[in-house]
Amino acid sequence: MAAPWAGAGAQAAAPAAADVSFMQGMIAHHAQAIEMVALIGARSTSAAMASLGERIEVSQKDEIAMMQQWLREHGQAAPDPLAHMAMAMDMGDHDMPMMPGMLTKAQMAQLAAAKGAAFDRLFLAGMIQHHEGALAMVKELFATSGAAQNTAIFRFASDVDADQRAEIARMRAMLTRMTSR
């Protein structure tokens, strides 16, 4: 069964440029979250971290597929998230504009080098930063005149906002528990 915002009710009118930009940018944004989650297995021993990572990976991959489908249905380029992340890592921090919340190449390297509790803290802080960036992207979309008028875009962006806020609260609580020990 398709998600309520996936393809259902697609409008015949050409999508707003801001909607297309949001969806394409969010694909790249989600790709970095998946890249971060891929580090958990080899660097954390926490079952709670593994569970969090699994939730993030599943939701982000599903949303990437939905965004790519929406873009194709509207005659737009649907970026390959893996190709984008490889390009971003090759280009370095200063050659490519960063989307809100994206971790820099140096932050990703620091995360990849950490292990145990140090990794867990860096991961949570980095993913909170990352999710806050997604909230900024949603806020910018909703503040753009003519954007998010497409029902699917409005629902998806609203879902991203709600989901990211809930995960931020969960991760802040995890960080608090770690630092209070």
Side-chain angles (χ1 to χ4, degrees):
M1 181 168 117
W5 32 258
Q11 294 145 343
D19 293 348
V20 172
S21 179
F22 173 78
M23 295 295 258
Q24 290 171 337
M26 195 58 75
I27 288 171
H29 204 269
H30 277 21
Q32 187 182 62
I34 292 169
E35 182 181 6
M36 291 170 68
V37 165
L39 299 173
I40 292 174
R43 289 167 180 81
S44 178
T45 58
S46 166
M49 289 292 293
S51 178
L52 173 68
E54 184 177 334
R55 279 193 307 272
I56 291 171
E57 181 179 22
V58 168
S59 68
Q60 304 280 287
K61 283 183 175 181
D62 286 350
E63 289 177 1
I64 286 171
M66 182 283 304
M67 290 183 282
Q68 289 173 319
Q69 177 185 341
W70 185 91
L71 287 162
R72 284 190 296 269
E73 286 175 356
H74 290 85
Q76 303 297 316
D80 174 3
L82 297 177
H84 174 82
M85 286 313 299
M87 180 179 69
M89 291 297 105
D90 289 343
M91 293 178 75
D93 293 339
H94 301 294
D95 297 325
M96 186 172 174
M98 297 286 284
M99 283 171 278
M102 296 276 286
L103 273 63
T104 64
K105 189 174 183 178
Q107 286 175 302
M108 287 296 292
Q110 183 181 18
L111 182 63
K115 291 208 180 267
F119 170 83
D120 294 349
R121 284 189 295 277
L122 279 173
F123 178 89
L124 290 169
M127 193 59 77
I128 289 168
Q129 170 189 319
H130 196 268
H131 279 16
E132 286 174 340
L135 294 177
M137 291 170 71
V138 170
K139 182 178 180 180
E140 180 181 338
L141 176 72
F142 286 156
T144 302
S145 180
Q149 300 303 303
N150 177 292
T151 303
I153 296 291
F154 179 81
R155 284 182 185 161
F156 173 64
S158 296
D159 287 348
V160 166
D161 188 83
D163 293 346
Q164 302 288 285
R165 287 181 192 282
E167 277 188 356
I168 288 169
R170 185 178 303 121
M171 290 184 291
R172 284 188 175 141
M174 290 172 74
L175 262 177
T176 299
R177 283 190 299 276
M178 281 180 192
T179 57
S180 64
R181 289 182 197 165

